[in-house]
Amino acid sequence: MRTHARNLLLAAAALLSLSAQDAFHLQDKDRVVFFGDSITDQRLYTTFVETYALTRFPDRQIAFTHSGWGGDRVTGGGGGGIRVRLSRDVVAYKPNVVTIMLGMNDGRYRAFDEQIFNIYSSGFNNIVQTLTKELPGVRITGIIPSPYDDVTRAPMFSGGYNDVLLRYGKFIQEQAGPRKLTVADLNTQVVAMLQKANATDPENAKKILPDRVHPGPAGHLIMAASLLKAWNAPAVVSEVVFNAETRTTDSTFNTTVSDIKVANGATWTQTDKALPMAIDLTDPVMALAVNSSDFMETLNRQILRIKGIHDATFTLRIDGSEVGAFSGADFEKGVNLARYKTPMWAQAWQLHLMTLKRAALHNTRWRQVQVPLESENAAGMKAALDALDAVEAELTAKQRALAQPKPHKFELIPGGSAFKAAFNGKDLAGWHISDVNHHGKTQGWKVEDGAITGTQDKPGHGGILLTDRKYKNFEVQLEIRPDHGNDSGLFLRASEKGEAYQVLLDYLDGGGMAGIYGERLKDVKGAAADWEPVFKRGDWNHLRARIEGDVPHIQVWLNGVKVTDWTDSANHLPEGAASGMVAVQVHGGNRWVPGGKHRFRNISIRELP
């Protein structure tokens, strides 16, 4: 009876979760237009929402159009009067879902004024009436405008401008019933996040809304979360509950688990039916916003629970890549894999990058071709727009292909992380400067702010810094932050002379990152990498490289995304060496800007069988 009751409870929970999935506002074949001012024109909260829908519901074909125009009010703006804007930029796409976010400019950045408010309220109602008439059955979401930042800076006047926006938001809420609107509050939850973030880290909190009006990506993510919650977005990506005592799964949701093997740890294959939102928690501003909100708990739960392993520590690997080491208590509570740069995270990140490309292409078509040339009656206009639409359709197809689930091999290995620190963050212990490298023997290696910094100690004089130890098959992971104009590299299996397989770190015009080059090796053709979409300029970037096999097979991940997978035709190291040192480089000659630096930190190495 206990087993029967337990099974009934699990079945009921699964049904509730499935009903939550079905309750999501956006359904298959929906066509969505985001309408608004410059905040919508940033294409950030809107692309986060688009990516969420694609990753969480990969079987639904939903079309998205981002129709924000900077400076707009309910009466229109730089893109034309409101009739033009609605006809050309909303109705023309025949949407059955429309969001409206206006108000930031309508309040005119001053204390509440009844006459100005009346213009807004009548104009908002006019928009709703027009859309309802032109698009029968359209589902409209009225958005309470995102905040003016009166949290991290002093208000401009008594009460502050955000209170004015909240007055406008109250009006939108009042229209929900009579106008049959869904209402999404993109103000209150963002303000609550800002207040918590400001109490934790005032300097980075200011960067969430850097000009008080236009949020950066971190602020837009929380805005997107507010819209998604109003649309009944489900929280769970997937959930697996293992029972270590019975060696089976107690329950699964939105995933399939197969090929379970238990012996000194465990392995299994898992195919989730959705992907997590790829949030980069190594970005301090993004991490501050996320950790000051309930985003992960309410919208991004990819849970792995293991019951019954008590005080043991296990390292989790997915597709051979280490996710982290977790205690029995961590697993008992449930590890949220969405917080880590797993292969699923990397797939979702690539999808989001494609979302940004697709949205940018459409914006170019609309704002650089269609609108400025619409009065020219050019004979080739239709063909030009059709061609751009065809390219956009290709990018949309790529988005949907990237959203499709893939199986992944999970490994649970007894013990802590196999990565061992190769740099202590304090000095160069365990490293040495090559005296025989052809780039030179620069003494410009220092430890500054927990990072190894390398530079030419005199114009043209470079060199390499090597580990004292040699390694054969291994992974090395580190963070890099180069100044632009510098040619550097991460050397794998290096000799004292610097003969090595090099992961390119050439951050200069015509350079490349994360590709492969044979440093002083003959007949190595190497490989280039598609690094630019995932590289964060002027910031720290995470790099991981793996080399294995007598004939080297090298893989490279940049910020969690695999950008290189290359195997040499033969072992081209001197005398067929199968091991060597790890090294970092300051290029000699003129491929270095005077005074420029390359920085390396958090260096660790995992030896492979």
Side-chain angles (χ1 to χ4, degrees), residues 46 63 189 219 247 259 263 309 335 342 388 547 556 590:
T46 57
Q189 292 182 46
R247 300 187 174 189
D259 198 25
I309 58 175
V335 173
T342 64
L388 289 170
I547 183 170
V556 184
N590 61 5

Side-chain angles (χ1 to χ4, degrees), residues 364-383:
T364 298
R365 175 215 189 272
W366 169 43
R367 298 286 286 275
Q368 304 300 320
V369 182
Q370 178 191 355
V371 173
L373 300 178
E374 60 189 348
S375 62
E376 299 300 326
N377 297 316
M381 175 65 77
K382 183 179 185 305

Side-chain angles (χ1 to χ4, degrees), residues 234-245:
V236 179
V237 179
S238 66
E239 185 165 9
V240 174
V241 181
F242 275 107
N243 188 315
E245 295 175 356

Side-chain angles (χ1 to χ4, degrees), residues 440-595:
K441 48 184 177 180
T442 178
Q443 301 301 300
W445 297 103
K446 296 181 180 179
V447 175
E448 299 175 330
D449 298 323
I452 295 174
T453 63
T455 190
Q456 293 183 348
D457 57 2
K458 58 185 177 182
H461 190 224
I464 60 172
L465 182 72
L466 304 109
T467 58
D468 295 341
R469 277 197 58 192
K470 290 185 177 182
Y471 301 89
K472 184 178 180 181
N473 298 321
F474 65 92
E475 279 189 356
V476 55
Q477 61 180 4
L478 70 163
E479 292 175 282
I480 60 170
R481 185 172 182 171
D483 291 337
H484 187 265
N486 296 334
D487 188 329
S488 181
L490 173 68
F491 289 17
L492 309 177
R493 295 183 180 172
S495 71
E496 191 69 26
K497 293 180 180 179
E499 301 150 320
Y501 288 96
Q502 181 188 162
V503 178
L504 296 171
L505 304 178
D506 302 350
Y507 190 39
L508 69 169
D509 292 343
M513 302 285 291
I516 305 300
Y517 174 72
E519 182 75 13
R520 287 285 168 121
L521 304 182
K522 293 181 179 180
D523 302 322
V524 175
K525 293 183 179 180
D530 185 18
W531 61 277
E532 293 191 82
V534 296
F535 185 76
K536 297 185 289 186
R537 289 158 177 77
D539 204 346
W540 288 100
N541 289 264
H542 186 272
L543 184 84
R544 179 164 59 92
R546 178 188 297 170
I547 183 170
E548 52 194 334
D550 290 340
V551 175
H553 174 208
I554 301 176
Q555 300 171 78
V556 184
W557 293 259
L558 185 59
N559 291 322
V561 177
K562 184 188 286 188
V563 293
T564 303
D565 193 334
W566 174 86
T567 302
D568 202 355
S569 58
N571 185 346
H572 288 99
L573 287 169
E575 300 179 358
S579 66
M581 293 165 279
V582 175
V584 290
Q585 177 198 41
V586 168
H587 203 285
N590 61 5
R591 293 174 67 86
W592 200 270
V593 294

